[in-house]
mmCIF file with all atom_site columns, all heavy atoms in Angstrom:
data_model
loop_
_atom_site.group_PDB
_atom_site.id
_atom_site.type_symbol
_atom_site.label_atom_id
_atom_site.label_alt_id
_atom_site.label_comp_id
_atom_site.label_asym_id
_atom_site.label_entity_id
_atom_site.label_seq_id
_atom_site.pdbx_PDB_ins_code
_atom_site.Cartn_x
_atom_site.Cartn_y
_atom_site.Cartn_z
_atom_site.occupancy
_atom_site.B_iso_or_equiv
_atom_site.pdbx_formal_charge
_atom_site.auth_seq_id
_atom_site.auth_comp_id
_atom_site.auth_asym_id
_atom_site.auth_atom_id
_atom_site.pdbx_PDB_model_num
ATOM 1   N N   . ARG D 1 84 ? 13.816 18.932 -16.265 1.00 82.00 ? 84 ARG D N   1
ATOM 2   C CA  . ARG D 1 84 ? 13.171 20.254 -16.181 1.00 82.00 ? 84 ARG D CA  1
ATOM 3   C C   . ARG D 1 84 ? 13.971 21.330 -16.894 1.00 82.00 ? 84 ARG D C   1
ATOM 4   O O   . ARG D 1 84 ? 13.409 22.278 -17.418 1.00 82.00 ? 84 ARG D O   1
ATOM 5   C CB  . ARG D 1 84 ? 12.949 20.606 -14.720 1.00 82.00 ? 84 ARG D CB  1
ATOM 6   C CG  . ARG D 1 84 ? 11.865 19.750 -14.106 1.00 82.00 ? 84 ARG D CG  1
ATOM 7   C CD  . ARG D 1 84 ? 11.521 20.185 -12.714 1.00 82.00 ? 84 ARG D CD  1
ATOM 8   N NE  . ARG D 1 84 ? 10.505 19.301 -12.184 1.00 82.00 ? 84 ARG D NE  1
ATOM 9   C CZ  . ARG D 1 84 ? 10.613 18.622 -11.060 1.00 82.00 ? 84 ARG D CZ  1
ATOM 10  N NH1 . ARG D 1 84 ? 11.695 18.747 -10.318 1.00 82.00 ? 84 ARG D NH1 1
ATOM 11  N NH2 . ARG D 1 84 ? 9.656  17.838 -10.646 1.00 82.00 ? 84 ARG D NH2 1
ATOM 12  N N   . THR D 1 85 ? 15.295 21.195 -16.915 1.00 86.00 ? 85 THR D N   1
ATOM 13  C CA  . THR D 1 85 ? 16.136 22.173 -17.597 1.00 86.00 ? 85 THR D CA  1
ATOM 14  C C   . THR D 1 85 ? 16.028 22.019 -19.111 1.00 86.00 ? 85 THR D C   1
ATOM 15  O O   . THR D 1 85 ? 15.930 23.003 -19.840 1.00 86.00 ? 85 THR D O   1
ATOM 16  C CB  . THR D 1 85 ? 17.609 22.016 -17.163 1.00 86.00 ? 85 THR D CB  1
ATOM 17  O OG1 . THR D 1 85 ? 17.690 22.198 -15.751 1.00 86.00 ? 85 THR D OG1 1
ATOM 18  C CG2 . THR D 1 85 ? 18.504 23.023 -17.852 1.00 86.00 ? 85 THR D CG2 1
ATOM 19  N N   . MET D 1 86 ? 16.034 20.797 -19.582 1.00 86.00 ? 86 MET D N   1
ATOM 20  C CA  . MET D 1 86 ? 16.010 20.537 -21.018 1.00 86.00 ? 86 MET D CA  1
ATOM 21  C C   . MET D 1 86 ? 14.615 20.707 -21.617 1.00 86.00 ? 86 MET D C   1
ATOM 22  O O   . MET D 1 86 ? 14.483 21.069 -22.772 1.00 86.00 ? 86 MET D O   1
ATOM 23  C CB  . MET D 1 86 ? 16.522 19.123 -21.305 1.00 86.00 ? 86 MET D CB  1
ATOM 24  C CG  . MET D 1 86 ? 17.941 18.860 -20.806 1.00 86.00 ? 86 MET D CG  1
ATOM 25  S SD  . MET D 1 86 ? 19.170 19.999 -21.450 1.00 86.00 ? 86 MET D SD  1
ATOM 26  C CE  . MET D 1 86 ? 19.236 19.486 -23.136 1.00 86.00 ? 86 MET D CE  1
ATOM 27  N N   . ASN D 1 87 ? 13.595 20.397 -20.846 1.00 81.00 ? 87 ASN D N   1
ATOM 28  C CA  . ASN D 1 87 ? 12.215 20.466 -21.328 1.00 81.00 ? 87 ASN D CA  1
ATOM 29  C C   . ASN D 1 87 ? 11.378 21.211 -20.296 1.00 81.00 ? 87 ASN D C   1
ATOM 30  O O   . ASN D 1 87 ? 10.698 20.583 -19.484 1.00 81.00 ? 87 ASN D O   1
ATOM 31  C CB  . ASN D 1 87 ? 11.643 19.060 -21.545 1.00 81.00 ? 87 ASN D CB  1
ATOM 32  C CG  . ASN D 1 87 ? 12.424 18.281 -22.558 1.00 81.00 ? 87 ASN D CG  1
ATOM 33  O OD1 . ASN D 1 87 ? 12.593 18.734 -23.673 1.00 81.00 ? 87 ASN D OD1 1
ATOM 34  N ND2 . ASN D 1 87 ? 12.928 17.126 -22.175 1.00 81.00 ? 87 ASN D ND2 1
ATOM 35  N N   . VAL D 1 88 ? 11.420 22.528 -20.341 1.00 80.00 ? 88 VAL D N   1
ATOM 36  C CA  . VAL D 1 88 ? 10.713 23.346 -19.359 1.00 80.00 ? 88 VAL D CA  1
ATOM 37  C C   . VAL D 1 88 ? 9.235  22.967 -19.326 1.00 80.00 ? 88 VAL D C   1
ATOM 38  O O   . VAL D 1 88 ? 8.592  22.841 -20.361 1.00 80.00 ? 88 VAL D O   1
ATOM 39  C CB  . VAL D 1 88 ? 10.880 24.847 -19.681 1.00 80.00 ? 88 VAL D CB  1
ATOM 40  C CG1 . VAL D 1 88 ? 10.072 25.709 -18.716 1.00 80.00 ? 88 VAL D CG1 1
ATOM 41  C CG2 . VAL D 1 88 ? 12.344 25.226 -19.646 1.00 80.00 ? 88 VAL D CG2 1
ATOM 42  N N   . GLY D 1 89 ? 8.734  22.735 -18.126 1.00 78.00 ? 89 GLY D N   1
ATOM 43  C CA  . GLY D 1 89 ? 7.326  22.368 -17.958 1.00 78.00 ? 89 GLY D CA  1
ATOM 44  C C   . GLY D 1 89 ? 7.075  20.873 -18.036 1.00 78.00 ? 89 GLY D C   1
ATOM 45  O O   . GLY D 1 89 ? 5.980  20.419 -17.742 1.00 78.00 ? 89 GLY D O   1
ATOM 46  N N   . ASP D 1 90 ? 8.082  20.102 -18.428 1.00 79.00 ? 90 ASP D N   1
ATOM 47  C CA  . ASP D 1 90 ? 7.929  18.652 -18.524 1.00 79.00 ? 90 ASP D CA  1
ATOM 48  C C   . ASP D 1 90 ? 8.294  18.025 -17.186 1.00 79.00 ? 90 ASP D C   1
ATOM 49  O O   . ASP D 1 90 ? 8.874  18.669 -16.325 1.00 79.00 ? 90 ASP D O   1
ATOM 50  C CB  . ASP D 1 90 ? 8.836  18.108 -19.622 1.00 79.00 ? 90 ASP D CB  1
ATOM 51  C CG  . ASP D 1 90 ? 8.331  16.805 -20.211 1.00 79.00 ? 90 ASP D CG  1
ATOM 52  O OD1 . ASP D 1 90 ? 7.324  16.266 -19.700 1.00 79.00 ? 90 ASP D OD1 1
ATOM 53  O OD2 . ASP D 1 90 ? 8.944  16.320 -21.173 1.00 79.00 ? 90 ASP D OD2 1
ATOM 54  N N   . ASP D 1 91 ? 7.954  16.781 -17.003 1.00 79.00 ? 91 ASP D N   1
ATOM 55  C CA  . ASP D 1 91 ? 8.289  16.088 -15.774 1.00 79.00 ? 91 ASP D CA  1
ATOM 56  C C   . ASP D 1 91 ? 8.685  14.653 -16.089 1.00 79.00 ? 91 ASP D C   1
ATOM 57  O O   . ASP D 1 91 ? 8.301  14.109 -17.122 1.00 79.00 ? 91 ASP D O   1
ATOM 58  C CB  . ASP D 1 91 ? 7.106  16.102 -14.805 1.00 79.00 ? 91 ASP D CB  1
ATOM 59  C CG  . ASP D 1 91 ? 7.529  16.107 -13.352 1.00 79.00 ? 91 ASP D CG  1
ATOM 60  O OD1 . ASP D 1 91 ? 8.731  15.945 -13.076 1.00 79.00 ? 91 ASP D OD1 1
ATOM 61  O OD2 . ASP D 1 91 ? 6.657  16.275 -12.492 1.00 79.00 ? 91 ASP D OD2 1
ATOM 62  N N   . LEU D 1 92 ? 9.430  14.081 -15.215 1.00 81.00 ? 92 LEU D N   1
ATOM 63  C CA  . LEU D 1 92 ? 9.959  12.737 -15.396 1.00 81.00 ? 92 LEU D CA  1
ATOM 64  C C   . LEU D 1 92 ? 8.897  11.695 -15.063 1.00 81.00 ? 92 LEU D C   1
ATOM 65  O O   . LEU D 1 92 ? 8.282  11.747 -14.009 1.00 81.00 ? 92 LEU D O   1
ATOM 66  C CB  . LEU D 1 92 ? 11.179 12.558 -14.473 1.00 81.00 ? 92 LEU D CB  1
ATOM 67  C CG  . LEU D 1 92 ? 12.073 11.368 -14.704 1.00 81.00 ? 92 LEU D CG  1
ATOM 68  C CD1 . LEU D 1 92 ? 12.760 11.479 -16.057 1.00 81.00 ? 92 LEU D CD1 1
ATOM 69  C CD2 . LEU D 1 92 ? 13.131 11.306 -13.611 1.00 81.00 ? 92 LEU D CD2 1
ATOM 70  N N   . GLU D 1 93 ? 8.656  10.750 -15.963 1.00 84.00 ? 93 GLU D N   1
ATOM 71  C CA  . GLU D 1 93 ? 7.683  9.690  -15.746 1.00 84.00 ? 93 GLU D CA  1
ATOM 72  C C   . GLU D 1 93 ? 8.344  8.393  -15.327 1.00 84.00 ? 93 GLU D C   1
ATOM 73  O O   . GLU D 1 93 ? 7.779  7.621  -14.562 1.00 84.00 ? 93 GLU D O   1
ATOM 74  C CB  . GLU D 1 93 ? 6.867  9.430  -17.009 1.00 84.00 ? 93 GLU D CB  1
ATOM 75  C CG  . GLU D 1 93 ? 5.923  10.537 -17.342 1.00 84.00 ? 93 GLU D CG  1
ATOM 76  C CD  . GLU D 1 93 ? 5.039  10.192 -18.517 1.00 84.00 ? 93 GLU D CD  1
ATOM 77  O OE1 . GLU D 1 93 ? 4.826  8.992  -18.796 1.00 84.00 ? 93 GLU D OE1 1
ATOM 78  O OE2 . GLU D 1 93 ? 4.562  11.130 -19.163 1.00 84.00 ? 93 GLU D OE2 1
ATOM 79  N N   . CYS D 1 94 ? 9.507  8.124  -15.876 1.00 87.00 ? 94 CYS D N   1
ATOM 80  C CA  . CYS D 1 94 ? 10.190 6.865  -15.615 1.00 87.00 ? 94 CYS D CA  1
ATOM 81  C C   . CYS D 1 94 ? 11.668 7.057  -15.930 1.00 87.00 ? 94 CYS D C   1
ATOM 82  O O   . CYS D 1 94 ? 12.024 7.823  -16.815 1.00 87.00 ? 94 CYS D O   1
ATOM 83  C CB  . CYS D 1 94 ? 9.606  5.770  -16.501 1.00 87.00 ? 94 CYS D CB  1
ATOM 84  S SG  . CYS D 1 94 ? 10.389 4.165  -16.327 1.00 87.00 ? 94 CYS D SG  1
ATOM 85  N N   . PHE D 1 95 ? 12.506 6.345  -15.205 1.00 89.00 ? 95 PHE D N   1
ATOM 86  C CA  . PHE D 1 95 ? 13.940 6.424  -15.425 1.00 89.00 ? 95 PHE D CA  1
ATOM 87  C C   . PHE D 1 95 ? 14.474 5.000  -15.404 1.00 89.00 ? 95 PHE D C   1
ATOM 88  O O   . PHE D 1 95 ? 14.175 4.246  -14.487 1.00 89.00 ? 95 PHE D O   1
ATOM 89  C CB  . PHE D 1 95 ? 14.575 7.255  -14.303 1.00 89.00 ? 95 PHE D CB  1
ATOM 90  C CG  . PHE D 1 95 ? 16.022 7.591  -14.539 1.00 89.00 ? 95 PHE D CG  1
ATOM 91  C CD1 . PHE D 1 95 ? 16.375 8.669  -15.323 1.00 89.00 ? 95 PHE D CD1 1
ATOM 92  C CD2 . PHE D 1 95 ? 17.027 6.830  -13.978 1.00 89.00 ? 95 PHE D CD2 1
ATOM 93  C CE1 . PHE D 1 95 ? 17.711 8.995  -15.546 1.00 89.00 ? 95 PHE D CE1 1
ATOM 94  C CE2 . PHE D 1 95 ? 18.355 7.135  -14.186 1.00 89.00 ? 95 PHE D CE2 1
ATOM 95  C CZ  . PHE D 1 95 ? 18.702 8.226  -14.967 1.00 89.00 ? 95 PHE D CZ  1
ATOM 96  N N   . ARG D 1 96 ? 15.223 4.619  -16.438 1.00 91.00 ? 96 ARG D N   1
ATOM 97  C CA  . ARG D 1 96 ? 15.758 3.254  -16.540 1.00 91.00 ? 96 ARG D CA  1
ATOM 98  C C   . ARG D 1 96 ? 17.271 3.288  -16.637 1.00 91.00 ? 96 ARG D C   1
ATOM 99  O O   . ARG D 1 96 ? 17.830 4.112  -17.354 1.00 91.00 ? 96 ARG D O   1
ATOM 100 C CB  . ARG D 1 96 ? 15.223 2.547  -17.779 1.00 91.00 ? 96 ARG D CB  1
ATOM 101 C CG  . ARG D 1 96 ? 13.769 2.258  -17.725 1.00 91.00 ? 96 ARG D CG  1
ATOM 102 C CD  . ARG D 1 96 ? 13.307 1.649  -19.054 1.00 91.00 ? 96 ARG D CD  1
ATOM 103 N NE  . ARG D 1 96 ? 11.905 1.358  -18.984 1.00 91.00 ? 96 ARG D NE  1
ATOM 104 C CZ  . ARG D 1 96 ? 11.412 0.125  -19.030 1.00 91.00 ? 96 ARG D CZ  1
ATOM 105 N NH1 . ARG D 1 96 ? 12.200 -0.902 -19.190 1.00 91.00 ? 96 ARG D NH1 1
ATOM 106 N NH2 . ARG D 1 96 ? 10.116 -0.060 -18.943 1.00 91.00 ? 96 ARG D NH2 1
ATOM 107 N N   . VAL D 1 97 ? 17.891 2.348  -15.952 1.00 91.00 ? 97 VAL D N   1
ATOM 108 C CA  . VAL D 1 97 ? 19.338 2.169  -16.030 1.00 91.00 ? 97 VAL D CA  1
ATOM 109 C C   . VAL D 1 97 ? 19.574 0.689  -16.304 1.00 91.00 ? 97 VAL D C   1
ATOM 110 O O   . VAL D 1 97 ? 19.106 -0.171 -15.552 1.00 91.00 ? 97 VAL D O   1
ATOM 111 C CB  . VAL D 1 97 ? 20.043 2.565  -14.705 1.00 91.00 ? 97 VAL D CB  1
ATOM 112 C CG1 . VAL D 1 97 ? 21.528 2.291  -14.791 1.00 91.00 ? 97 VAL D CG1 1
ATOM 113 C CG2 . VAL D 1 97 ? 19.776 4.021  -14.371 1.00 91.00 ? 97 VAL D CG2 1
ATOM 114 N N   . ARG D 1 98 ? 20.286 0.391  -17.396 1.00 91.00 ? 98 ARG D N   1
ATOM 115 C CA  . ARG D 1 98 ? 20.586 -0.999 -17.738 1.00 91.00 ? 98 ARG D CA  1
ATOM 116 C C   . ARG D 1 98 ? 22.054 -1.291 -17.529 1.00 91.00 ? 98 ARG D C   1
ATOM 117 O O   . ARG D 1 98 ? 22.910 -0.518 -17.939 1.00 91.00 ? 98 ARG D O   1
ATOM 118 C CB  . ARG D 1 98 ? 20.265 -1.279 -19.208 1.00 91.00 ? 98 ARG D CB  1
ATOM 119 C CG  . ARG D 1 98 ? 18.824 -1.450 -19.465 1.00 91.00 ? 98 ARG D CG  1
ATOM 120 C CD  . ARG D 1 98 ? 18.607 -1.908 -20.874 1.00 91.00 ? 98 ARG D CD  1
ATOM 121 N NE  . ARG D 1 98 ? 17.191 -2.139 -21.054 1.00 91.00 ? 98 ARG D NE  1
ATOM 122 C CZ  . ARG D 1 98 ? 16.659 -2.670 -22.114 1.00 91.00 ? 98 ARG D CZ  1
ATOM 123 N NH1 . ARG D 1 98 ? 17.425 -3.016 -23.126 1.00 91.00 ? 98 ARG D NH1 1
ATOM 124 N NH2 . ARG D 1 98 ? 15.373 -2.853 -22.199 1.00 91.00 ? 98 ARG D NH2 1
ATOM 125 N N   . THR D 1 99 ? 22.313 -2.432 -16.900 1.00 89.00 ? 99 THR D N   1
ATOM 126 C CA  . THR D 1 99 ? 23.667 -2.947 -16.801 1.00 89.00 ? 99 THR D CA  1
ATOM 127 C C   . THR D 1 99 ? 23.659 -4.292 -17.516 1.00 89.00 ? 99 THR D C   1
ATOM 128 O O   . THR D 1 99 ? 22.629 -4.713 -18.040 1.00 89.00 ? 99 THR D O   1
ATOM 129 C CB  . THR D 1 99 ? 24.102 -3.124 -15.328 1.00 89.00 ? 99 THR D CB  1
ATOM 130 O OG1 . THR D 1 99 ? 23.317 -4.174 -14.744 1.00 89.00 ? 99 THR D OG1 1
ATOM 131 C CG2 . THR D 1 99 ? 23.931 -1.837 -14.535 1.00 89.00 ? 99 THR D CG2 1
#
Side-chain angles (χ1 to χ4, degrees):
R84 289 187 181 124
T85 301
M86 301 303 290
N87 300 304
V88 176
D90 206 355
D91 211 352
L92 193 65
E93 290 186 24
C94 178
F95 189 83
R96 292 176 179 245
V97 177
R98 283 188 177 187
T99 68

